[in-house]
Amino acid sequence: LNEYEKLVTTNLTNELVETFLSWGTDSNVDHRSVPRVSLTTDKRSQIRNVVHSLRVCEQLSQAGAAYQKKLCDLISVTIKAIVTECVADATRNKASDMNGDANTGTKGAAGVASMTLEQFFDCINMLFEQVLSLLWGAFAVNKLCIDEGFILDDAQASRYGSGASSSGGDSERASHTPSATAAALAAAADLSEKSVSELLRLRKEAHSLVSFDGMRHLWDTSLTFTYQLEKFSGRKAYGLRSTLLAQAKSFVERKHESNMSALVAALDSERWVQCNVSAERQAALTRLCSGRAAFSSRKQPGLDAAMTPAPVSTGREKMTDAEVEGVKYKVVWSCLLLLEMVMDDVACAAHFQTLAANVVGKVAELLRLFNTRSTHLVLGAGAIHSAARLKSINAKHLAIVTQCIALVLAILPHVRAALM
């Protein structure tokens, strides 16, 4: 008889767990919407009967533990399967690009780190969708248990009653009692947060090298997932938020190092002659002066941009000046490069607002570098011995560097306002 009872309770537990885990698997369900408990009368009655039978057999606690374990196992298997498949696809693509050399494939952590940014986006988009669908179902299950007064704990259920046998007052008290379904939801959310955080940490080095648009996309996608995770779990995902912040900070640091190197290279090769200001660069200056610099989306200048300066004056064609608030300035290429770097930093500060104070320091370092190097190269005649190899420093060079400094001073109030 004991064996028969054990078999029956095992079957009932499995039935209840499978019912809970299948919640939200319908492809028509929008997992971004607020989970709603919408069950047919027969389905709701079936769940009540199963819970009542488990309560009579004093197996509610076991059912709650089994549900939590299977939910966490399902999330772990889902994440592992998606990441493994994406790494395998990336490895196959890389092998085909290298003329079928299958030995170039990597697995595990190295495979995740070696994926391109586009491949990683495909991976996390699929992963986020599947994980959120499971959490959506767990949230709906917990809401059902609260509405029905189900407590998957034998000790508490014996005090408050369960399901159809509970009174209205008991059901109200049970809704404020921590339940196994709430614990399962919290455990699943915690596991999801840790898994995604670890996945992002594996690509910390790769993400510090991406473009601003790539980092912005990663930040927005991950934050959207974080908001959904927090909505389901009812608590802040501090671990995931700190991982995202660390990656954004690493990106800003690496970007600043690249900018400093590029600016030094541009200044050392600067011949201190006027260059043409393109319509695109003038439009960027206009956006900055009108308070819309944060809405621009430009490619980062970096070293490549430093090596491809704007056209310089040959003395025959008329060059276009930079204009700020109706005042025109003749500028050199390194000055334009500085302005582009500053505007990129303004865009970073606007998007990664928690790093705004950090970015202010980076902008100050760029301006200080430009001031000290230009002073050394022109006033100190360092350009004669630099990569530019000027024969002498004359009045034209002094005039053009004065114009550049005046332009920087003119945009400083707008930069300050954008960073506040």
Side-chain angles (χ1 to χ4, degrees):
L1 184 60
N2 290 335
E3 291 295 328
Y4 178 74
E5 180 180 346
K6 183 179 179 180
L7 178 62
V8 170
T9 55
T10 300
N11 290 337
L12 289 173
T13 298
N14 291 337
E15 180 183 349
L16 184 64
V17 170
E18 291 302 322
T19 300
F20 285 171
L21 292 179
S22 63
W23 210 303
T25 56
D26 188 352
S27 59
N28 296 325
V29 173
D30 182 7
H31 300 116
R32 293 169 296 181
S33 63
V34 178
R36 294 177 295 177
V37 179
S38 55
L39 291 174
T40 62
T41 304
D42 292 342
K43 191 67 174 179
R44 191 180 292 266
S45 177
Q46 179 186 356
I47 294 175
R48 284 182 185 146
N49 292 336
V50 171
V51 172
H52 178 69
S53 300
L54 289 172
R55 175 175 175 267
V56 172
C57 297
E58 297 183 349
Q59 294 296 316
L60 286 174
S61 297
Q62 181 181 343
Y67 169 60
Q68 178 174 327
K69 182 179 184 302
K70 288 195 175 183
L71 177 60
C72 291
D73 288 346
L74 183 57
I75 289 178
S76 296
V77 170
T78 299
I79 294 175
K80 184 177 180 180
I82 291 175
V83 172
T84 301
E85 182 62 28
C86 290
V87 168
D89 287 343
T91 302
R92 282 194 295 269
N93 291 338
K94 184 182 295 185
S96 63
D97 291 341
M98 300 183 69
N99 299 324
D101 184 3
N103 294 326
T104 60
T106 52
K107 297 181 179 180
V112 172
S114 66
M115 283 193 290
T116 65
L117 189 61
E118 292 75 15
Q119 291 169 339
F120 185 69
F121 281 145
D122 291 340
C123 178
I124 61 172
N125 285 335
M126 188 187 310
L127 187 149
F128 289 168
E129 180 181 356
Q130 294 300 317
V131 169
L132 287 177
S133 70
L134 293 172
L135 294 177
W136 188 95
F139 186 92
V141 166
N142 187 51
K143 190 173 186 302
L144 169 71
C145 292
I146 292 175
D147 293 345
E148 293 291 333
F150 296 152
I151 305 176
L152 301 186
D153 184 283
D154 295 314
Q156 294 180 9
S158 62
R159 287 195 303 239
Y160 298 135
S162 179
S165 63
S166 62
S167 64
D170 289 336
S171 179
E172 183 178 355
R173 287 194 300 272
S175 66
H176 299 287
T177 303
S179 63
T181 52
L185 175 59
D190 186 59
L191 176 61
S192 302
E193 177 188 349
K194 290 180 179 178
S195 299
V196 173
S197 297
E198 180 61 26
L199 190 63
L200 290 173
R201 275 193 291 269
L202 292 175
R203 290 184 54 85
K204 180 179 180 180
E205 185 68 20
H207 289 161
S208 68
L209 300 171
V210 300
S211 66
F212 172 67
D213 288 337
M215 190 64 206
R216 181 172 59 182
H217 186 193
L218 176 67
W219 176 273
D220 291 342
T221 302
S222 300
L223 265 190
T224 300
F225 171 78
T226 304
Y227 293 148
Q228 288 290 105
L229 183 68
E230 291 173 344
K231 183 172 69 175
F232 290 146
S233 64
R235 61 176 181 79
K236 289 290 185 180
Y238 291 112
L240 183 52
R241 284 178 175 270
S242 64
T243 299
L244 278 174
L245 185 59
Q247 301 229 334
K249 186 175 181 180
S250 177
F251 164 77
V252 170
E253 292 290 342
R254 183 66 67 88
K255 173 177 172 290
H256 180 64
E257 292 175 6
S258 175
N259 285 348
M260 293 287 281
S261 300
L263 187 56
V264 168
L267 284 166
D268 285 347
S269 60
E270 183 64 73
R271 300 191 61 83
W272 300 102
V273 293
Q274 183 184 4
C275 71
N276 187 53
V277 179
S278 66
E280 181 183 2
R281 289 190 172 95
Q282 181 58 54
L285 274 175
T286 304
R287 283 195 298 269
L288 175 64
C289 297
S290 59
R292 294 180 290 115
F295 300 100
S296 63
S297 177
R298 301 176 307 281
K299 295 182 179 179
Q300 297 181 39
L303 290 172
D304 292 339
M307 300 303 293
T308 55
V312 297
S313 173
T314 61
R316 297 179 181 178
E317 72 278 5
K318 180 176 177 59
M319 306 299 287
T320 304
D321 298 337
E323 183 176 342
V324 174
E325 296 181 328
V327 181
K328 294 186 176 182
Y329 302 88
K330 300 182 186 301
V331 294
V332 296
W333 161 243
S334 56
C335 182
L336 287 180
L337 181 62
L338 169 69
L339 297 182
E340 288 190 8
M341 290 176 176
V342 169
M343 287 185 281
D344 281 337
D345 283 344
V346 168
C348 278
H351 204 76
F352 311 125
Q353 295 183 5
T354 49
L355 297 176
N358 191 308
V359 173
V360 170
K362 307 303 182 190
V363 172
E365 287 184 28
L366 286 172
L367 295 174
R368 193 177 300 115
L369 173 65
F370 182 81
N371 182 55
T372 55
R373 293 292 293 178
S374 59
T375 299
H376 167 72
L377 291 169
V378 179
L379 296 182
I384 296 176
H385 308 289
S386 69
R389 297 293 180 184
L390 296 184
K391 293 181 180 180
S392 63
I393 302 298
N394 55 40
K396 287 185 177 180
H397 298 138
L398 295 174
I400 196 73
V401 76
T402 302
Q403 290 270 295
C404 292
I405 297 298
L407 174 60
V408 173
L409 289 175
I411 68 163
L412 273 182
H414 302 289
V415 173
R416 187 182 298 113
L419 291 174
M420 290 180 63

